[in-house]
Each structure stands twice: as structure tokens, then as C-alpha cells.
């Protein structure tokens, strides 16, 4: 057991570094970081098992930070382990630094997740714990790691904590340990101004093991973590009462702890004295960016301990690999993140079906041929047709994680974040399904998946007003425009932040899945129809391979008078309209555009070959006209939907709203 005085000094060292980073940047959140230093110091110096020389070791414990504003605490802690230099800490929140205002995922630097929007970080941890449980059924104790996560008052208040807590408790995730930094202080108020709930009782009701401790007491933290590691059949919540701005002093030398002011402002701007606070913590305010020699020695000894612990784990893994060469090869391949090898030509689609049904066909095939794929649904599997996957596997349960289907319940945001957490853990390919209109619930998670470049597959069905009788609450109109923005937004590697695919028939659906499974760099969104769709002219897997270019010519008359373009079910409506136009001697080109983002990545020459300059264009979209504005241009015409939908059978809505071949004919004749 490590010396208490030394451990407390190490925690103070974290406090000093955290406060100094914020002070130098003149921006940030020092108070929470100062309060949480004791817990993170104990965790990293005594409990967290990782390989300093191989940060991507599959069997490592993982730490997920939820309150990203407490990044100074994490950066300071990681500086003690050698992951960050003091110079990097000095560049906190500056252009091009490795220490941005909120942590951004970098496993090499010891950061498992990007965090900032409160509530998502600890939900990622739930997903990682589920992935670890699933993989343990394949690889045994090679996946015996513990998932630790750290949440704040704000993360507990965010609604997503309801879904994360319910799901983790229901599944009995005993490989999950969560520390709740309960300091009773928020940015603008004390927590008592906004909540009076019994958090411990709430988590107990969900089936969690709950402990309440002094979160700044070394002995109590250590005891709680030791006990948490022995808990079986349930996740553990450690509620630690901590002191906001622990160690902070006012200019007159009095305590400046437990103040809202230090939550979101440098000590010197909050009313505290930076110099006196640093001195109080044992540091030198003239040179605050320093690691005490004895603290450096403490962490050097921990590195030696880890070297021995990890050496034993690696030796055990080697022995296991010799006994189980196939499983070892499988684990290596799965964690490489490489796309699975799939013979897509073996998938046989029925003609004239809804693309949600075509999706079910593909998912059924993937369930049998991609062992590490996990699919989730928000209580809609028999309607979003993810049950195509479920029928070939089984649902995960508390006592059996051998199945590859997660029944997430009615919790779209939670489900999305859980799937992101699976992807962050690695070794699995996560996908999740719900109705497209409910992508609204998922937007914060979709954005984080895009920012972190996690290749989750989002399966959205019931793509338009053709949901019909359910009415405007369930009929997506503006959703496609919102999701398509992610195709236009670039990630920090300069690539489209998301791949969005709206296939026009069953064969396009197969190829859409092929592109998604081969896309290991960004999330993918599928937009599928509820209603049946006629196959495109000449439909085949080979023809549909052109989906990889984002847009392609489905059929074309020589020297066309007009280009008709759409995505999804509207393409077949264009085909109906083209028949009428051709009877009038009008020459037509029909273009399917499942992904404008992919299309814009093609050469200028290819784009011009699909959409020739100087030829009139007409676009049809069941969403906002802006969906096709960039492709149709100012000289063309778009028929779209500019209001909420209505409750009626979808064929009636097609007629009433003008989504018919006859109206295509009428509109095109008008522009010609």
C-alpha cells in the first residue's frame, strides 16, 4: 500500500497542474479538476491496468471521462504517467495543441473517448462494457478487463443517464465501475437549485451496487475500488462527495472552496488567488508546471508494477494463442478494425420489396457471416426489420452475452451512444436501428461518432411521409436534410464526416451495406423505405455497384432533353414519369443519387458525365427541396415537400402531395 502523504501530494500535484493549465490559457474549468484529483490519482496509481508500451493492447482496462470540461484533470494525470509533457500542458486550449479544451480520442495518448456533451461519456463506457462481455464469450479471460468511467453532476442530470443506468443495471454489467463526482456545484448554481433526487436510490432500483464515500479521502476511495472489483452480477456506482476547487484560497488566505465561480473560470478570474492556492497545494506559483520528484518516483514505480502485471497477462495470452490459434487469429483481425471478407454476390434479394425488407435480407446474411457484428434496435426490431439479424442469432441477456443482438428499449440516444462505446472498445462492428424520424433523438451521438470517426452503422427506416396513417409526428421531412449535412461536413482528416446512403431498390441496398461494411473510417447512415419499391430498370447487383460513386445513370436516351434525379423510392417514381415523357417524344436521363457526398468526391469529369452541363434538370425528393438543390442548380426545378406530413394511407398521400409519375410529367413539361 502506497504512503498516504505521498499519494495526497500526487493528488495535489494534479490540482496544481490543472489549475495552472487553465490559468495560463485564461480559459477553462479548474474547480472540478481540483476536486476529482484524489480519485483519478488512486485509480491510475493503483488500479487501472494498461500497457504503457502498447496503448492499443486489447485486454487493457479502459477509462472513459464523461465531463470533458474536466480535461485538465485528465491531462495532468496522464502527464504523471508520461503520456503528456509539461510543454504540452502549457499549450492547453491553444491552436494545434494535443491538449484541446475537451479531450479528443487518442488511444496512443491514453484518451479512450472524446467527451464534452455531458452524459455521453459514461454511456460510451456502458457500450464498451457490453462489447467486452460479448468478446469474453469468444476469447475468455483475454477480455477480462474492467471498464471505469467518471461522471459529474451534469452527466447524472442529463436524460441519457436514465437510459445508460437502466440498461447497465438490467444487463448486470459487473465489469463496469462508475465514479460519480458529486460536488454539489454547477456552472451557474448549486445542484440543490435544480434537483433533490436520491441518486443512490435511483441506481439501486436499476440493479446497481452503490457505495457512498468521501471522494477526497484516499482510504475510502481505495476501499471502494477494491470492493467494486469483487462485485458480481451488477455494475458499481461509487458516489464520491468531493470539494469543488479543493485547495483554492482567496486573496486574504481564506478558503475559496465550494464556489460556483471556479467551475468555469481560471482561479485568478474567479475571485480566488492563483498564487496563494498554488502555494497552499505545495507548488511554486513562479514555476507551477512541475512534477514533484517523489511523485515522479511514485509513478515510475507504478510503471514497473504494470510492466510485471502486463508481462504475466501477455504470457497468458501467448499460451492461450498456442492452444487456440484460430481464436487468436480472429481476435487480432477483429481488433485491427479491418473490414470483414464477405461474398456479396451470394445475397439474393426479392424484387419489388421495401428497402427495409432488403436490409433485413442483408442483415440475416451478415449475422451468419460476420461473427463480431452486434446489432441493436430501440424496441422496433420487427418494424425496422433489424429482426432479420435477430432471427439468425439471439438477444443478449444478463446471464448470456453469446447473442449478437441488443434490445436497447425505447432509448434512441442511449442506444446510439452505447453502440459508439462498442466501437471505441474495438473488436466489434456495431449497428443500430430505429425509425428515421427518431434520428432527431440521436443527433448528438451521430455528431460525436462523426467527430471521433467511429464506424457505427445507423439503420433508419420509414424514410418519408409514406409512413402514412401514423401522421406528421412519425413522418420525416427535414431529417434527411439534417443528416445530409454530415456528408458536407469534413472531419479533421479532411474526409466526409459521414457516409449517408438512401438506396432506390433492393440491389442498391445490398451495395449500400457493402460500402458501409468497407467504411471503417466514419459512421454510415442508411435511409430505408417502409413501402415496397419497384426495381429500377436493369436492376442487378452489378449495376448497383455504381452506388459506390454516389450517383449514376440508371437509364438514358441519346442526347437527353432533361435529367431526372432522385434518391430512394422517388427514383422509381421518376421512371414512371419518364415513360409518359417519352410518349411525348421527350428524351430523358434518369439518375439515382444515393449519396451526394460520395458523388462530390468523384472527379469533375465523372460528375459531368452523369449530370451534363447545359441539360435541364428536375429533382424529386420526399424531403425538403434543399436535399437536391446542389445537384439540380438554379436553372432546374425540384419537387419536394415543404411542410409537415399528413395522416392518410401512403398511396393517397402520393396522389395528394404530387409524388406520382403524372406529376413528374407535368412538372418537367413546365420547365421544358
Amino acid at each position: 500500500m502506497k504512503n498516504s502523504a505521498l499519494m495526497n501530494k500526487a493528488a495535489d500535484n494534479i490540482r496544481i497542474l490543472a489549475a495552472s493549465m487553465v490559468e495560463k490559457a485564461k480559459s477553462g474549468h479548474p474547480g472540478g479538476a481540483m476536486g476529482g484529483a484524489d480519485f483519478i490519482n488512486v485509480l491510475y496509481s493503483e488500479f487501472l491496468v494498461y500497457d504503457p508500451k502498447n496503448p492499443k493492447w486489447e485486454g487493457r482496462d479502459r477509462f472513459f471521462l464523461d465531463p470533458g470540461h474536466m480535461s485538465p484533470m485528465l491531462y495532468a494525470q496522464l502527464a504523471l504517467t508520461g503520456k503528456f509533457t509539461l510543454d504540452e500542458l502549457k499549450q492547453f486550449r491553444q491552436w494545434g495543441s494535443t491538449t484541446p479544451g475537451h479531450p479528443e480520442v487518442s488511444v496512443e495518448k491514453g484518451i479512450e473517448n472524446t467527451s464534452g456533451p455531458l452524459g455521453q461519456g459514461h454511456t460510451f463506457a456502458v457500450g464498451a462494457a457490453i462489447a467486452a462481455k460479448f468478446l469474453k464469450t469468444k476469447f475468455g479471460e483475454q477480455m477480462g478487463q474492467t471498464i471505469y468511467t467518471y461522471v459529474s453532476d451534469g452527466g447524472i442530470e442529463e436524460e441519457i443517464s436514465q437510459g445508460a443506468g437502466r440498461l447497465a443495471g438490467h444487463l448486470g454489467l459487473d465489469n463496469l465501475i462508475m465514479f460519480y463526482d458529486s460536488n454539489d456545484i454547477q456552472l451557474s448554481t448549486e445542484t440543490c437549485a435544480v434537483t433533490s433526487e436520491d441518486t443512490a436510490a435511483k441506481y439501486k432500483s436499476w440493479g446497481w451496487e452503490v457505495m457512498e464515500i468521501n471522494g477526497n479521502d484516499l482510504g475510502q476511495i481505495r476501499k471502494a475500488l477494491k470492493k467494486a472489483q469483487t462485485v458480481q452480477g451488477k455494475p458499481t456506482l461509487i458516489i464520491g462527495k468531493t470539494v469543488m476547487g479543493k485547495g483554492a484560497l482567496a486573496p486574504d488566505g481564506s478558503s475559496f472552496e465550494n464556489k460556483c465561480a471556479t467551475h468555469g473560470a481560471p482561479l485568478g478570474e474567479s475571485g480566488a488567488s492563483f498564487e496563494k492556492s498554488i502555494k497552499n497545494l505545495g507548488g511554486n506559483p513562479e514555476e507551477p508546471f512541475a512534477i514533484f520528484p517523489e511523485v515522479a518516483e511514485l509513478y515510475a514505480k507504478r510503471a514497473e508494477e504494470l510492466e510485471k502485471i502486463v508481462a504475466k497477462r501477455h504470457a497468458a495470452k501467448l499460451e492461450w494463442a498456442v492452444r487456440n490459434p484460430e481464436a487468436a487469429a480472429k481476435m487480432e483481425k477483429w481488433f485491427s478494425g479491418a473490414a470483414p471478407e464477405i461474398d456479396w454476390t451470394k445475397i439474393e434479394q426479392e424484387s419489388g420489396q421495401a428497402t427495409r425488407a432488403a436490409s433485413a435480407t442483408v442483415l440475416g446474411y451478415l449475422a451468419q457471416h460476420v461473427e463480431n457484428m452486434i446489432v441493436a434496435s430501440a424496441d422496433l426490431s420487427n418494424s425496422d426489420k433489424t429482426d432479420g439479424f435477430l432471427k439468425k442469432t439471439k438477444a443478449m441477456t444478463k446471464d448470456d452475452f453469446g447473442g449478437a443482438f441488443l434490445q436497447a428499449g425505447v432509448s434512441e440516444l442511449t442506444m446510439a451512444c452505447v453502440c459508439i462505446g462498442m466501437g471505441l472498445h474495438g473488436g466489434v462492428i456495431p449497428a443500430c436501428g430505429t425509425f428515421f424520424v427518431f434520428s432527431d433523438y440521436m443527433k448528438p451521438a451521430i455528431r460525436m461518432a462523426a467527430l471521433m470517426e467511429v464506424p457505427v452503422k445507423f439503420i433508419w427506416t420509414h424514410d418519408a411521409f409514406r409512413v402514412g396513417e401514423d401522421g406528421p409526428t412519425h413522418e420525416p421531412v427535414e431529417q434527411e436534410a439534417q443528416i445530409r449535412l454530415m456528408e458536407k461536413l469534413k472531419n479533421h482528416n479532411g474526409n466526409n464526416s459521414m457516409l449517408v446512403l438512401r438506396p432506390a431498390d433492393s440491389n442498391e441496398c445490398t451495395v449500400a451495406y457493402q460500402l458501409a461494411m468497407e467504411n471503417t473510417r466514419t459512421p454510415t447512415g442508411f435511409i430505408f423505405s417502409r413501402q415496397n419499391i419497384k426495381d429500377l430498370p436493369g436492376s442487378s447487383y452489378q449495376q448497383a455497384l455504381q452506388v459506390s460513386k454516389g450517383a449514376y445513370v440508371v437509364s438514358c436516351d441519346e442526347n437527353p432533353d432533361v435529367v431526372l434525379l432522385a434518391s430512394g423510392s422517388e427514383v422509381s417514381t421518376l421512371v414512371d414519369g419518364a415513360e409518359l415523357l417519352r410518349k411525348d417524344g421527350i428524351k430523358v436521363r434518369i439518375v439515382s443519387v444515393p449519396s451526394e457526398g460520395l458523388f462530390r468526391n468523384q472527379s469533375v469529369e465523372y460528375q459531368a458525365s452523369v449530370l451534363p452541363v447545359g441539360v435541364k434538370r428536375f429533382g424529386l425528393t420526399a424531403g425538403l427541396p434543399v436535399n437536391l438543390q446542389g445537384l439540380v442548380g438554379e436553372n432546374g426545378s425540384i419537387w419536394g415537400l415543404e411542410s409537415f406530413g399528413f395522416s392518410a394511407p401512403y398511396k393517397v398521400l402520393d396522389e395528394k402531395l404530387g409524388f406520382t409519375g403524372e406529376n413528374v410529367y407535368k412538372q418537367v413539361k413546365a420547365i421544358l
Side-chain angles (χ1 to χ4, degrees):
M1 190 176 293
K2 295 177 175 62
N3 178 279
S4 295
L6 176 56
M7 286 289 285
N8 289 331
K9 185 156 192 173
D12 284 342
N13 206 161
I14 293 170
R15 285 186 253 274
I16 292 167
L17 291 172
S20 301
M21 291 163 66
V22 176
E23 200 74 20
K24 186 175 187 301
K26 297 182 172 59
S27 172
H29 305 256
M34 295 170 76
D38 298 286
F39 175 81
I40 201 167
N41 175 55
V42 175
L43 178 65
Y44 272 80
S45 65
E46 297 186 8
F47 290 89
L48 195 74
V49 174
Y50 61 96
D51 185 348
K53 297 178 181 177
N54 179 16
K56 293 188 176 181
W57 169 45
E58 308 94 333
R60 69 186 182 278
D61 291 344
R62 286 150 173 84
F63 175 72
F64 288 84
L65 182 68
D66 190 300
H69 61 272
M70 289 175 65
S71 60
M73 177 187 76
L74 182 59
Y75 297 146
Q77 175 62 71
L78 291 172
L80 300 189
T81 69
K83 289 291 185 181
F84 284 87
T85 66
L86 294 177
D87 284 340
E88 286 177 305
L89 300 192
K90 292 176 184 178
Q91 291 301 305
F92 179 58
R93 289 184 168 229
Q94 304 309 302
W95 173 262
S97 77
T98 58
T99 49
H102 291 76
E104 296 177 17
V105 62
S106 172
V107 174
E108 291 81 3
K109 300 289 277 186
I111 299 173
E112 297 283 356
N113 65 294
T114 299
S115 53
L118 294 176
Q120 291 199 47
H122 80 285
T123 312
F124 298 155
V126 173
I130 292 171
K133 284 282 192 181
F134 171 80
L135 291 167
K136 193 171 184 179
T137 67
K138 314 289 184 185
F139 308 129
E141 285 306 315
Q142 305 313 312
M143 291 290 109
Q145 71 267 44
T146 300
I147 310 299
Y148 296 94
T149 186
Y150 187 111
V151 70
S152 65
D153 290 302
I156 292 293
E157 288 172 26
E158 280 287 357
E159 293 92 333
I160 192 174
S161 68
Q162 154 83 21
R166 169 188 57 78
L167 190 59
H170 179 70
L171 290 174
L173 299 177
D174 52 15
N175 59 343
L176 176 67
I177 298 174
M178 182 161 78
F179 179 75
Y180 167 27
D181 180 355
S182 176
N183 58 38
D184 299 327
I185 300 293
Q186 300 185 166
L187 185 65
S188 61
T189 69
E190 294 184 14
T191 58
C192 62
V194 299
T195 181
S196 55
E197 74 175 14
D198 186 335
T199 303
K202 180 173 70 174
Y203 277 84
K204 286 176 183 176
S205 75
W206 286 329
W208 287 59
E209 180 76 20
V210 179
M211 301 175 227
E212 299 183 70
I213 65 169
N214 177 343
N216 295 123
D217 183 275
L218 164 68
Q220 291 188 39
I221 295 168
R222 183 183 284 143
K223 183 179 178 182
L225 282 170
K226 284 182 177 178
K227 181 180 177 183
Q229 289 183 329
T230 67
V231 172
Q232 294 184 341
K234 57 176 76 171
T236 296
L237 174 67
I238 301 170
I239 301 176
K241 299 303 294 184
T242 61
V243 175
M244 169 67 71
K246 183 170 172 57
L249 295 181
D252 63 3
S254 62
S255 173
F256 202 80
E257 297 176 334
N258 287 320
K259 305 285 187 184
C260 289
T262 63
H263 183 289
L267 293 181
E269 295 178 16
S270 67
S273 166
F274 174 75
E275 292 77 13
K276 289 189 176 180
S277 298
I278 298 303
K279 281 184 181 179
N280 182 46
L281 293 166
N284 177 3
E286 300 299 319
E287 296 182 12
F289 287 96
I291 297 175
F292 300 136
E294 55 269 53
V295 174
E297 185 180 351
L298 168 71
Y299 274 90
K301 288 181 178 177
R302 178 57 180 169
E304 292 173 6
E305 292 172 4
L306 284 172
E307 191 174 340
K308 293 176 183 177
I309 292 168
V310 170
K312 289 182 180 178
R313 295 280 292 273
H314 287 335
K317 178 185 174 183
L318 190 60
E319 291 178 11
W320 169 80
V322 170
R323 296 192 309 271
N324 304 276
E326 290 184 11
K330 196 177 290 183
M331 186 168 83
E332 183 177 356
K333 183 175 181 180
W334 291 1
F335 274 94
S336 74
E341 296 171 6
I342 300 164
D343 186 351
W344 297 96
T345 64
K346 293 287 180 65
I347 297 174
E348 297 181 6
Q349 293 282 13
E350 293 182 18
S351 62
Q353 62 180 338
T355 48
R356 65 167 174 162
S359 167
T361 299
V362 179
L363 287 171
Y365 185 84
L366 295 178
Q368 295 172 294
H369 294 86
V370 184
E371 287 183 79
N372 63 327
M373 187 172 186
I374 298 175
V375 175
S377 180
D379 191 42
L380 288 170
S381 59
N382 56 341
S383 194
D384 62 28
K385 296 304 178 185
T386 51
D387 64 355
F389 192 91
L390 176 58
K391 289 172 182 175
K392 302 296 183 181
T393 179
K394 59 184 178 181
M396 296 175 176
T397 65
K398 179 178 181 178
D399 302 314
D400 183 4
F401 284 86
F405 195 91
L406 175 63
Q407 295 285 17
V410 185
S411 53
E412 292 85 358
L413 176 57
T414 296
M415 175 181 69
C417 285
V418 163
C419 285
I420 293 169
M422 293 181 193
L424 289 169
H425 179 278
V428 299
I429 300 171
C432 57
T434 186
F435 291 171
F436 190 33
V437 75
F438 299 142
S439 65
D440 283 348
Y441 283 123
M442 307 166 78
K443 293 283 169 53
I446 298 164
R447 186 173 188 274
M448 290 293 283
L451 180 61
M452 291 188 284
E453 302 181 26
V454 183
V456 176
K457 322 303 176 191
F458 296 105
I459 302 167
W460 293 308
T461 69
H462 296 57
D463 66 342
F465 62 81
R466 298 177 187 92
V467 173
E469 292 88 342
D470 278 344
T473 60
H474 281 53
E475 293 171 12
V477 177
E478 76 282 11
Q479 281 73 16
E480 184 175 355
Q482 294 169 3
I483 293 297
R484 292 275 182 208
L485 288 174
M486 304 302 290
E487 290 188 303
K488 295 177 172 63
L489 182 69
K490 302 294 184 185
N491 59 33
H492 287 161
N493 283 318
N495 300 314
N496 297 358
S497 73
M498 187 173 183
L499 173 62
V500 181
L501 296 159
R502 187 173 181 234
D505 69 4
S506 296
N507 284 308
E508 279 200 6
C509 179
T510 297
V511 175
Y513 267 101
Q514 180 176 347
L515 296 175
M517 296 300 281
E518 292 171 354
N519 175 24
T520 61
R521 308 295 290 275
T522 70
T524 300
F526 299 109
I527 306 174
F528 294 136
S529 74
R530 179 198 187 203
Q531 82 287 357
N532 291 342
I533 303 173
K534 289 187 292 187
D535 286 356
L536 300 182
S539 181
S540 69
Y541 170 73
Q542 290 301 322
Q543 174 177 291
L545 285 172
Q546 295 176 90
V547 169
S548 65
K549 295 183 178 179
Y552 69 98
V553 178
V554 174
S555 68
C556 186
D557 302 327
E558 189 175 352
N559 299 318
D561 300 305
V562 63
V563 176
L564 311 179
L565 60 149
S567 69
S569 55
E570 286 87 271
V571 183
S572 66
T573 307
L574 292 181
V575 173
D576 293 341
E579 289 182 16
L580 300 175
L581 291 166
R582 284 169 175 145
K583 288 177 181 178
D584 273 12
I586 296 171
K587 291 178 286 187
V588 172
R589 167 176 288 192
I590 301 172
V591 174
S592 175
V593 192
S595 170
E596 182 183 352
L598 274 181
F599 182 60
R600 293 304 190 190
N601 290 345
Q602 308 307 312
S603 68
V604 173
E605 291 77 13
Y606 178 77
Q607 292 183 47
S609 74
V610 175
L611 300 177
V613 177
V615 181
K616 290 279 189 180
R617 300 175 190 173
F618 172 76
L620 184 67
T621 173
L624 292 171
V626 72
N627 289 339
L628 297 176
Q629 189 64 57
L631 296 168
V632 172
E634 293 181 2
N635 296 322
S637 175
I638 302 169
W639 188 264
L641 194 59
E642 294 186 300
S643 74
F644 292 114
F646 304 88
S647 179
Y650 82 87
K651 290 185 179 179
V652 173
L653 292 175
D654 273 335
E655 292 287 338
K656 296 290 187 182
L657 300 175
F659 287 83
T660 63
E662 289 78 7
N663 192 48
V664 170
Y665 169 82
K666 177 183 175 183
Q667 297 301 320
V668 172
K669 289 284 282 188
I671 66 170
L672 292 178

